[in-house]
Amino acid sequence: MAGTGRERWTSKSGFILAAVGSAVGLGNMWRFSYLAAENGGAAFVVLYLALTLIVGLPVMLAELTLGRGAGKSPLQALGHYGGSGWKPLGGLFIAAGFLILGYYSVIAGWTLRYAIEALVTGFSGDAGERFSAIASGPAAVAWHVGFMVVTVAVVARGVSGGIERLAQILMPALFAVLIGLALYASTLEGGGDGYRHYLSFDLSEVMRMDVFTEAAGQAFFSLSLGMGAMLTFASYMDRSHDLPQESGIIAAADFGVAFVAGLVVFPVIFALGMQEQVGGSTVGALFITLPTAFHHMGAAGTVVGIIFFGALVVGALTSAISLLEVVVSSGMDAFGWPRARATWIFGGAIALVGIPAALDTDLLGLMDQVAGNVLLVFGGLLLSIFVGWVMEDPIGEVAHGTSGIRWFGLWRTLLRYVVPVLLGIVLWNSLGATWTALVGYFGS
Ligand code: PHE
């Protein structure tokens, strides 16, 4: 690639599908619906949508503007517009990439294992026992490493030949499959209570500060914001892209998948009368209750379950790819390494980072807490300040490729005042909770 300039997406839809692939992942396919059901149902969905509009979309647009404007990976892009004083923020993104992909790949490894085992033997009747048996230990390490190898193999093939091509094949398939599953779930007897549980409107829940914090953290994680993933992808595009429009498409697709996944999960669980077993953890709902439900649904359940977990693997893979690409593109830019070398070296290092998480699920949960509720929110806060206050003429840059008035003044105002204040509040709250979790894990 050297000498011929930066790699490029071959088409606009290729970029959009890759970005949607980054956004759609484990985060929305199980965490979203679980949080909604626990925290006010439809009221949570409304709160989540509002946060996506007021905070998520402006930050996404900021990342795309920065990445496209600089045409460089995060570290260099921040240095390009802000001078070397801002480079540590790029370092934070890379650290977040290591941490998140480290444990994300462990969960993806469980998912892959469920999908493949179900193909061979069906789902276990005692999924709780099965899950404790596979969640941590040497086998969990092996599946995690296996998943990392697949991720590396795609990223090593490059932006258009690997990342874009895979997204073009897999993302449309994922949409089709999810809609099919939701339609199937709607035919289940007794599933109606599942919809009610998922979506009953409870305003009192969303008035709580911790729910607000959760919703904001979830929006950031689900939209892949706050660690330069969207920025990196945008660095491979040209100026003909309409960034506000494409941000809207990406956010809408991300929300759509999250919402529809809930329309699959809850009817299935309630039709089987298993709501009592959903328990207090997001992982439990996905890896224990749901597989048990599939088991009790007989042959149809096995087929549906394999498709569901297969779709989860696809979502996880396209997200993991974008996490790795942040680190790889930084390595290529900073050290001048060829792509293949950067991919294998960093992929290998991230696989190592994930091993402790594959041996200890409490540590995995802690990594998720630190990354999702602190690092991404902090990264988003600094990004909004950077594009709102430091970057020269972001409106001039974002305007390329658009036609007509696009509310750019409002965008900048949100980035300057509203987003930093809201994220500051969120960060303040989640720091407390994260500190408690850290002390709980490491203390005494
Ligand atoms: N958005 C992905 C998901 O929902 C996770 C992710 C976070 C990917 C941050 C890239 C960057 O699963």
Side-chain angles (χ1 to χ4, degrees), residues 257-307:
V257 169
F259 187 77
V260 172
L263 298 179
V264 178
V265 171
F266 287 100
V268 167
I269 290 177
F270 275 72
L272 273 291
M274 300 191 50
Q275 49 274 25
E276 298 309 321
Q277 296 175 38
V278 171
S281 89
T282 51
V283 169
L286 184 67
F287 289 102
I288 299 174
T289 318
L290 209 53
T292 312
F294 289 139
H295 170 82
H296 288 294
M297 286 161 73
T302 306
V303 173
V304 167
I306 290 168
I307 295 173

Side-chain angles (χ1 to χ4, degrees), residues 89-156:
L89 179 55
L92 182 78
F93 292 165
I94 295 169
F98 268 84
L99 189 71
I100 298 178
L101 184 50
Y103 75 80
Y104 197 85
S105 163
V106 175
I107 305 176
W110 300 339
T111 314
L112 185 61
R113 181 166 183 181
Y114 267 68
I116 292 179
E117 281 188 352
L119 263 179
V120 182
T121 60
F123 288 94
S124 163
D126 191 345
E129 197 174 294
R130 186 80 199 121
F131 182 65
S132 356
I134 71 160
S136 57
V141 173
W143 285 89
H144 148 66
V145 171
F147 181 82
M148 278 306 298
V149 170
V150 178
T151 308
V152 164
V154 177
V155 173

Side-chain angles (χ1 to χ4, degrees), residues 41-118:
F44 181 90
V45 175
V46 172
L47 170 72
Y48 181 83
L49 271 177
L51 282 168
T52 299
L53 280 178
I54 297 170
V55 181
L57 270 181
V59 173
M60 175 162 327
L61 194 51
E63 286 206 26
L64 296 186
T65 304
L66 191 55
R68 181 179 73 174
K72 297 188 170 80
S73 62
L75 209 62
Q76 274 79 7
L78 289 159
H80 177 85
Y81 284 112
S84 54
W86 280 91
K87 282 198 169 178
L89 179 55
L92 182 78
F93 292 165
I94 295 169
F98 268 84
L99 189 71
I100 298 178
L101 184 50
Y103 75 80
Y104 197 85
S105 163
V106 175
I107 305 176
W110 300 339
T111 314
L112 185 61
R113 181 166 183 181
Y114 267 68
I116 292 179
E117 281 188 352

